[in-house]
Amino acid sequence: MKNIKSVLLIVMLLAATSVSAQFTQDRPNVEYMLKIEAGYLHNVGNYGKASSNSNGSTNVGDANSYYLRDHEEAFGLNIINGVNISQDFFLGGGLGYSYCMPLYQGNEGLASSHLAQVFVDMDYRPIEADWAPMVGARLGGSFLMNANNYGTTMSPYVEVYTGVNWFYDHALQQMDRNYHSWFLEAGIVLQQQTIFIPVRFGWRW
């Protein structure tokens, strides 16, 4: 009888160890995550100087980038791949596209601009709640795709933003909470000697 109790105790300990190991595997510290977001960007100003050969329709700035002073509005799309680290911190790389246009009266004849962005993205979500705030930043490069007579127009791309996540799907989470969610964010973007205020809506999973 004593031997049977010993065997049962060993079996119970092995089973508990196996369950604990399986639970640890189901709750990883690093997890792949994809973000897709789209939104509206409003041009609020410029931090560069217009080139002397700018004629009002080309919006040419200095040798480093364009000066988009007449393009008041833009619409953009970002696709970002990365990893979620310890539930709260996301780090990834993204590709973006922005379509900039002159909408206000007096600028209708100006050509629209097409911008491509490549950047590193990071965000932090500190609160354990279905509705959780986040802060983030992006750093990379912006390229004007328009044909022009002034060579390539690559400029730094810098963005800081804040927003809120709604973690709507708990059943599919591998970590505690930061799996499928919708999010809304707003911030400030510097690119092509132009300052934009973006408002975006996105999905992460």
Side-chain angles (χ1 to χ4, degrees):
M1 189 69 177
K2 186 176 180 179
N3 290 336
I4 293 176
K5 290 182 178 179
S6 298
V7 171
L8 290 175
L9 181 59
I10 293 173
V11 171
M12 291 173 63
L13 290 173
L14 290 175
T17 303
S18 176
V19 170
S20 177
Q22 182 64 38
F23 181 81
T24 301
Q25 291 176 4
D26 290 342
R27 303 282 184 177
N29 288 325
V30 177
E31 182 179 38
Y32 168 77
M33 187 165 284
L34 173 69
K35 296 200 299 185
I36 296 178
E37 59 185 34
Y40 164 79
L41 298 87
H42 178 64
N43 183 337
V44 296
N46 303 104
Y47 60 90
K49 294 182 179 180
S51 172
S52 59
N53 60 1
S54 176
N55 59 17
S57 61
T58 59
N59 297 301
V60 177
D62 61 23
N64 297 320
S65 62
Y66 261 42
Y67 182 74
L68 301 172
R69 66 188 183 281
D70 295 323
H71 292 65
E72 294 91 354
E73 317 297 325
F75 296 90
L77 174 68
N78 293 329
I79 299 176
I80 306 163
N81 283 276
V83 292
N84 214 36
I85 303 170
S86 297
Q87 304 180 82
D88 299 321
F89 183 73
F90 173 82
L91 178 64
L95 298 175
Y97 167 77
S98 298
Y99 175 69
C100 305
M101 66 193 77
L103 293 182
Y104 294 151
Q105 185 175 3
N107 290 334
E108 294 89 342
L110 299 179
S112 299
S113 294
H114 304 270
L115 305 176
Q117 300 90 31
V118 179
F119 53 83
V120 174
D121 179 35
M122 63 193 80
D123 68 52
Y124 180 61
R125 301 167 308 283
I127 296 179
E128 297 185 20
D130 287 346
W131 291 90
M134 72 173 183
V135 293
R138 293 173 179 142
L139 180 64
S142 170
F143 177 71
L144 180 73
M145 297 185 289
N146 296 37
N148 63 85
N149 300 322
Y150 305 97
T152 60
T153 52
M154 179 70 74
S155 77
Y157 179 90
V158 180
E159 178 177 354
V160 292
Y161 61 91
T162 185
V164 62
N165 278 268
W166 174 41
F167 301 110
Y168 68 89
D169 194 344
H170 293 277
L172 297 177
Q173 292 173 203
Q174 294 184 38
M175 295 187 179
D176 286 342
R177 64 187 184 281
N178 290 338
Y179 211 52
H180 292 176
S181 68
W182 298 102
F183 59 90
L184 180 68
E185 63 186 29
I188 184 168
V189 171
L190 308 178
Q191 63 173 330
Q192 303 296 335
Q193 300 188 54
T194 307
I195 303 170
F196 290 98
I197 299 295
V199 177
R200 301 190 184 95
F201 183 71
W203 184 30
R204 75 167 81 230
W205 75 95

